[in-house]
Amino acid sequence: MNKNELASIAQSIMQKGKGILAADESFPSIEKRFKSIGVESNEENRRAYRDLLLTAEGSEEFISGVILFDETIRQKAGDGTPFPQALSKRGILPGIKVDGGAKDMPGFPGEKITEGLDGLRDRLKEYHDLGARFAKWRGVIDIAEGIPTTGCIEANAEALARYAALCQEADIVPIVEPEVLMDGGHDLARCYEVTTTTLRTVFSRLVAHRVFLEGMLLKPNMVISGAKCPTQATAQEVAEATVCCFRRTVPAAVPGIVFLSGGQSSERATEHLNLINMIADLPWEISFSYGRALQEAPLMTWKGLAENVPAAQKAYSHRAKLNSLARKGQYESKMESMAA
Ligand code: 5MM
């Protein structure tokens, strides 16, 4: 493990005004996204869509890293350049999703455990050779009647810690993503409670596995009311509860926190990020690692048609720019209507 290199990659991802595009949808997820615009999910359509996002001119001003899917890291941009090189050339770090997905956890009805540790050491070596400098593993924690259980939280935390240790051995910065799902009827207080327990457990396992905290990033959910909760917390309450939770659970040695959007609207995800970054004296850099909240606008504009590519790229860059401003606490909702 080269600690200097890991710390420097993590800091480079967290540079001011920039964040991460999560474009690592697995086959079932990208199929779902394409279905919403009536496009078939085949290899060429997936390549064309990722090409649009990854080569959008000017996006490098707001994006420091992109999380790729296994298929994408092996594909090429329209001009024949492999995607990882097309990104590095513009100063964007290529990342890779390495988990094998969240599967039903035996003995724990309604709960999931993320698979993918077997053979991971060899896969990481190959991904590093292909250009990946950071990776991502997502554990899923659901909130409902009687769940999450301690067993599910502990099993996912252990897997995240083993993944992180293997990444660092391969000089790849691990993004540790314990996602407490935002759908459900629970309120903000319940989300706070579950997120707190989850993060405490995750950091306890990361430390037990001797993970170098300065060379990792955390990708958590915000502390928010469940989407089906009748009393929705205000954006300011979300920002304050989120920061309070992290201050109590995330060591200051961790260089950065990059949020997932988790099904929030694009505007809401930006607004929350902005309010969080307006809170003073945070010990970590706070940015975004959005999938849906960055891709909704370009996906809807593209609709699978080549002639829509320039407009879709503009929509993506505009969204990235607004999140870049929110990462500095400088976003205002009136900017939504301004051109990219
Ligand atoms: C882009 O979506 C990622 C991959 O999801 P699947 O493995 O389920 O296909 C997902 O892990 C994503 O990186 C995070 O959840 C953040 O994305 P959102 O859409 O929540 O910002």
Side-chain angles (χ1 to χ4, degrees):
M1 179 200 318
N2 181 335
K3 289 188 172 177
N4 287 338
E5 192 180 327
L6 289 169
S8 133
I9 295 168
Q11 279 156 20
S12 167
I13 295 172
M14 298 311 300
Q15 60 193 279
K16 291 270 182 229
K18 294 193 183 182
I20 298 174
L21 165 68
D24 58 313
E25 294 85 359
S26 54
F27 291 124
S29 299
I30 196 74
E31 188 170 358
K32 208 160 116 192
R33 306 273 182 276
F34 278 10
K35 212 170 165 194
S36 71
I37 52 163
V39 170
E40 186 196 337
S41 177
N42 57 43
E43 187 177 350
E44 178 45 28
N45 285 344
R46 290 190 295 268
R47 193 209 62 76
Y49 176 61
R50 265 71 184 248
D51 194 3
L52 171 173
L53 296 174
L54 272 39
T55 63
E57 218 177 299
S59 61
E60 64 273 15
E61 227 186 293
F62 317 116
I63 300 290
S64 53
V66 176
I67 312 172
L68 303 168
F69 181 56
D70 178 78
E71 177 185 65
T72 323
I73 201 170
R74 303 167 196 284
Q75 287 176 319
K76 294 182 173 135
D79 68 0
T81 313
F83 280 133
Q85 282 71 46
L87 289 171
S88 327
K89 264 203 315 211
R90 288 166 45 243
I92 301 176
L93 285 160
I96 180 77
K97 184 236 291 293
V98 300
D99 66 61
K103 306 285 159 62
D104 288 343
M105 184 159 156
F108 291 77
E111 298 196 286
K112 305 267 184 205
I113 177 71
T114 301
E115 294 184 347
L117 287 168
D118 286 352
L120 183 57
R121 177 176 267 146
D122 294 337
R123 287 196 289 128
L124 286 167
K125 200 180 165 313
E126 190 199 0
Y127 286 140
H128 193 277
D129 291 345
L130 286 167
R133 291 298 173 265
F134 70 100
K136 191 203 86 173
W137 177 292
R138 172 171 171 255
V140 179
I141 308 294
D142 204 354
I143 302 181
E145 189 68 38
I147 62 170
T149 60
T150 305
C152 172
I153 293 174
E154 284 180 349
N156 276 290
E158 178 72 10
L160 279 164
R162 288 194 55 207
Y163 139 81
L166 282 162
C167 283
Q168 292 192 332
E169 179 191 70
D171 292 331
I172 288 180
V173 167
I175 293 190
V176 172
E177 182 180 359
E179 176 173 7
V180 176
L181 294 179
M182 295 177 184
D183 25 67
H186 57 276
D187 61 7
L188 179 96
R190 177 84 175 121
C191 180
Y192 176 92
E193 183 194 3
V194 173
T195 305
T196 301
T197 305
T198 300
L199 290 176
R200 286 213 175 114
T201 312
V202 166
F203 277 101
S204 137
R205 296 322 298 158
L206 288 168
V207 170
H209 279 273
R210 302 179 177 174
V211 170
F212 173 54
L213 298 181
E214 289 81 352
M216 64 157 276
L217 297 172
L218 179 71
K219 176 166 173 168
N221 53 287
M222 294 172 187
V223 174
I224 199 167
S225 329
K228 295 192 205 90
C229 177
T231 42
Q232 291 287 312
T234 64
Q236 189 58 37
E237 285 168 343
V238 168
E240 283 169 18
T242 302
V243 169
C244 174
C245 172
F246 291 168
R247 280 196 203 279
R248 291 173 176 175
T249 54
V250 183
V254 173
I257 294 175
V258 286
F259 286 108
L260 58 94
S261 58
Q264 301 176 71
S265 71
S266 303
E267 293 78 8
R268 203 74 172 146
T270 308
E271 185 191 4
H272 284 151
L273 178 65
N274 189 60
L275 288 172
I276 288 168
N277 271 306
M278 284 176 79
I279 297 177
D281 297 327
L282 302 174
W284 341 263
E285 291 295 326
I286 295 202
S287 191
F288 57 91
S289 174
Y290 292 161
R292 284 162 287 179
L294 272 174
Q295 293 188 52
E296 192 197 2
L299 185 71
M300 294 301 152
T301 310
W302 176 53
K303 294 195 183 77
L305 301 173
E307 66 256 36
N308 291 340
V309 166
Q313 289 183 317
K314 213 169 154 193
Y316 164 58
S317 291
H318 185 50
R319 204 69 239 157
K321 182 181 179 173
L322 296 181
N323 283 301
S324 155
L325 289 166
R327 191 230 177 292
K328 297 182 277 190
Q330 294 169 1
Y331 162 82
E332 290 173 58
S333 58
K334 66 177 184 215
M335 296 167 175
E336 288 291 340
S337 52
M338 291 178 189

